[in-house]
Amino acid sequence: MAHAHHKIDTHTVDFQVDPVVLELGRRFVDAGHELSLVGGPVRDLFLGRASPDLDFTTDAAPDQTVKLIKKWADNYWEIGRAFGTIGMRKAGFQIEITTYRADAYDPESRKPVVAFGSSLTDDLLRRDFTINAMALRLPTLELVDPFGGVRDLHDSVLATPGPPETSFSDDPLRMMRAARFAAQLGVSLREDVREAMTRMAERITIISAERVRDELVKLICAAHPRVGVDLLVDTGLAEFVLPEVSALRLESDEHHRHKDVYQHSLQVLEQAAALETGADGSVPGPDFVLRFAALMHDIGKPATRRFEPGGAVSFRHHDMVGSKLTSKRMKTLRFDNDTTKAVARLVELHMRFYGYGEAGWSDSAVRRYVTDAGPLLERLHRLTRSDVTTRNQRKADRLSFAYDDLEARIAAIREQESLEAVRPDLDGGQIMALLGLTPGPVVGRAYKFLLEERMEYGPLDPADAESKLRAWWAAQPEAATPASSPAPTATIAPAGSSGVALSTTEES
């Protein structure tokens, strides 16, 4: 293959190289070394995108790199030294300089065996895709493109510098990266790349869950997540990464009595992403929690599918089953607890609205909806609206109008009372003071009773709350039993001011 070396023509390629890049290049060249800007930052120059992270490659050994940059950089670190990488910050840029590599990989290992090389072309050969295997020699700005990266970028094709089998054997995570680049850049996979991914999909299992998770997050948050997910499923990678999504491809029975749950889920993902609001809105995009909940919301359907008498298909409790499956999958992929709980909770709540349009809700039901969603309410609004993919415009309009009405009801109730954290009108300390109790399960029951009253009837003034509490207490078996120890003497403080811990609490 002929090597392509071009001097960048800034009249035909609309970009400017930051002076920091040229200055660093001169330092290395003046010391007798080579330095090139490489990989993603070069690709992004052609795409007209800014890149705050700059990757360089050099023939200098890590010791020589440190010597050249330690007084020049704002600060530097040597965490990646064993892999030939020195990191630093300079003028707001995060920079990594890596010694030319000629990696040797153990096919059964998750990590490369590092071997340093001496050739820029050999270094580019070991990179994942041709669009990332381009370099700018510094400070001359000579483009080195031995594998046709510019051509493939122009044609929106994802190809590998060498045989794709070699690339994916070296690092199987590159198969996930292929799907991610398709989602981010809108490129299509060259046929040999797609075929290699399909044949080698099982090799993804030797990659750590954390690395797979990070690529999945980037894919889901990309401009075209549907394309990336579809690639994972079509090549079989999803069987090992997100098997619950692959399982959504339910075979239609001969009477076509249910819609394609898989395509529906992809459409909901797409529609949810379109409903994100900008940086000043309540759900700034891209929002992984909303998008992943949209993808996973129906994964409980295969396990709950039933063919009813008369030909109907039901998926009873698929929301609850799907929530548990989502949580399990995210734990396997090593997601943090907060993200896992948020996505699983949205999956659990995604069907809650559907009773509203049919029967209408009391104020109590609206309060419970808001309280159960908690800080996820804005995401739940968007997920529920996205979960309408019917081609029946009348049905779609009816559901949309019903949800408009629900949001208006929430706004109206919010004007009268705080719905953000519904609590009883009396707190634990007040309950104990009024009833002469010490901390224990009975206080928790009283708290739960007042919470139910608050949900059902809205805020009460302290006198009415006290009256209801005393009436409830009179009917309790413990009311006839003296307290095991004297009740604490306390002045009734405003609700929410007590720090008393209850032994029994109700998670709203």
Side-chain angles (χ1 to χ4, degrees):
M1 184 182 293
H3 292 187
H5 298 258
H6 310 284
K7 184 75 178 290
I8 289 295
D9 182 352
T10 53
H11 298 292
T12 58
V13 181
D14 183 23
F15 68 81
Q16 291 293 321
V17 175
D18 193 278
V20 165
V21 173
L22 299 175
E23 187 182 338
L24 186 59
R26 279 192 291 270
R27 289 184 75 85
F28 274 72
V29 170
D30 289 348
H33 294 291
E34 297 177 359
L35 186 76
S36 298
L37 185 68
V38 71
V42 179
R43 177 198 70 223
D44 288 345
L45 287 173
F46 282 95
L47 295 173
R49 304 195 317 185
S51 185
D53 298 337
L54 301 176
D55 296 325
F56 297 85
T57 188
T58 181
D59 62 344
D63 284 348
Q64 295 167 316
T65 295
V66 170
K67 192 174 177 182
L68 284 168
I69 61 90
K70 67 180 179 181
K71 291 182 180 177
W72 176 81
D74 295 334
N75 62 307
Y76 74 97
W77 51 93
E78 302 181 46
I79 298 170
R81 188 190 190 97
F83 292 93
T85 300
I86 303 298
M88 72 200 76
R89 289 194 69 79
K90 176 72 175 181
F93 289 102
Q94 180 133 327
I95 293 171
E96 288 191 347
I97 302 177
T98 303
T99 304
Y100 290 156
R101 298 271 288 273
D103 286 347
Y105 284 80
D106 177 347
E108 302 308 316
S109 171
R110 296 176 176 183
K111 297 177 181 178
V113 178
V114 178
F116 295 136
S118 57
S119 157
L120 174 58
T121 301
D122 287 348
D123 181 86
L124 295 176
L125 175 62
R126 60 158 286 276
R127 294 178 181 268
D128 54 3
F129 302 107
T130 59
I131 61 173
N132 296 328
M134 300 183 286
L136 281 183
R137 284 194 187 275
L138 300 170
T140 60
L141 296 183
E142 175 193 6
L143 175 66
V144 181
D145 180 23
F147 307 107
V150 172
R151 175 200 63 217
D152 290 342
L153 199 57
H154 181 268
D155 294 341
S156 293
V157 169
L158 199 67
T160 52
E165 294 83 2
T166 302
S167 183
F168 298 153
S169 182
D170 283 352
D171 185 359
L173 189 68
R174 289 172 173 176
M175 296 186 287
M176 288 285 296
R177 285 168 62 82
R180 190 248 290 183
F181 281 125
Q184 281 183 333
L185 304 177
V187 294
S188 59
L189 272 56
R190 201 167 70 186
E191 196 54 38
D192 63 336
V193 172
R194 180 188 285 269
E195 288 173 1
M197 286 170 65
T198 304
R199 284 195 306 273
M200 302 175 69
E202 190 174 2
R203 277 190 61 78
I204 198 67
T205 56
I206 73 167
I207 299 297
S208 71
E210 291 83 359
R211 291 181 75 207
V212 170
R213 174 202 64 209
D214 291 348
E215 282 298 328
L216 181 63
V217 169
K218 291 174 185 175
L219 185 158
I220 295 296
C221 291
H224 313 285
R226 180 175 188 158
V227 173
V229 173
D230 219 14
L231 263 172
L232 293 181
V233 172
D234 285 350
T235 58
L237 274 167
E239 295 286 349
F240 306 101
V241 174
L242 285 176
E244 298 82 4
V245 174
S246 291
L248 291 173
R249 294 177 298 174
L250 296 172
E251 293 180 10
S252 294
D253 59 285
E254 56 182 305
H255 302 295
H256 300 284
R257 290 179 292 191
H258 69 270
K259 63 187 174 187
D260 185 330
V261 183
Y262 172 63
Q263 290 299 331
H264 163 75
S265 298
L266 292 184
Q267 191 174 342
V268 174
L269 166 61
E270 211 166 39
Q271 292 178 175
L275 287 180
E276 291 167 343
T277 48
D280 297 331
S282 49
V283 183
D287 187 83
F288 175 78
V289 169
L290 171 62
R291 293 182 181 206
F292 201 53
L295 177 63
M296 305 292 275
H297 78 284
D298 273 349
I299 63 168
K301 281 190 170 180
T304 57
R305 181 174 61 157
R306 299 287 181 272
F307 294 105
E308 306 290 350
V313 179
S314 70
F315 302 98
R316 289 192 185 89
H317 307 303
H318 77 272
D319 43 357
M320 301 300 293
V321 172
S323 177
K324 289 175 181 174
L325 289 172
T326 298
S327 182
K328 186 176 179 183
R329 176 54 47 196
M330 292 182 73
K331 285 174 182 173
T332 299
L333 288 169
R334 303 288 194 273
F335 277 93
D336 65 275
N337 286 337
D338 288 346
T339 305
T340 300
K341 285 178 181 176
V343 175
R345 186 67 163 155
L346 284 173
V347 172
E348 179 186 342
L349 293 174
H350 84 272
M351 292 294 292
R352 182 73 69 87
F353 159 73
Y354 286 94
Y356 181 83
E358 296 162 11
W361 283 356
S362 64
D363 284 355
S364 170
V366 175
R367 285 188 198 99
R368 290 177 193 278
Y369 188 76
V370 174
T371 304
D372 288 350
L376 297 171
L377 182 63
E378 291 296 336
R379 289 183 174 109
L380 182 57
H381 287 335
R382 286 157 176 77
L383 175 59
T384 305
R385 288 185 182 276
S386 301
D387 193 18
V388 179
T389 59
T390 177
R391 293 176 186 172
N392 182 332
Q393 194 58 45
R394 251 168 121 185
K395 182 180 179 184
D397 288 344
R398 189 170 71 248
L399 288 167
S400 181
F401 292 148
Y403 209 88
D404 289 344
D405 186 61
L406 174 58
E407 289 204 58
R409 289 274 304 284
I410 290 171
I413 294 174
R414 267 185 172 147
E415 284 185 12
Q416 302 165 32
E417 55 184 283
S418 171
L419 290 178
E420 306 319 313
V422 174
R423 292 187 178 88
D425 297 287
L426 303 174
D427 64 23
Q430 294 170 312
I431 290 168
M432 289 190 292
L434 286 167
L435 302 183
L437 296 172
T438 54
V442 180
V443 182
R445 280 182 16 230
Y447 187 93
K448 183 176 179 181
F449 162 74
L450 287 175
L451 181 60
E452 290 294 324
E453 292 293 302
R454 171 71 174 79
M455 286 285 193
E456 195 65 36
Y457 301 110
L460 298 172
D461 63 50
D464 288 341
E466 180 180 343
S467 175
K468 282 180 175 285
L469 177 63
R470 290 192 184 282
W472 172 84
W473 177 238
Q476 303 307 304
E478 293 89 350
T481 306
S484 57
S485 59
T489 57
T491 304
I492 301 298
S497 63
S498 171
V500 177
L502 306 179
S503 61
T504 304
T505 57
E506 176 76 356
E507 184 179 321
S508 59

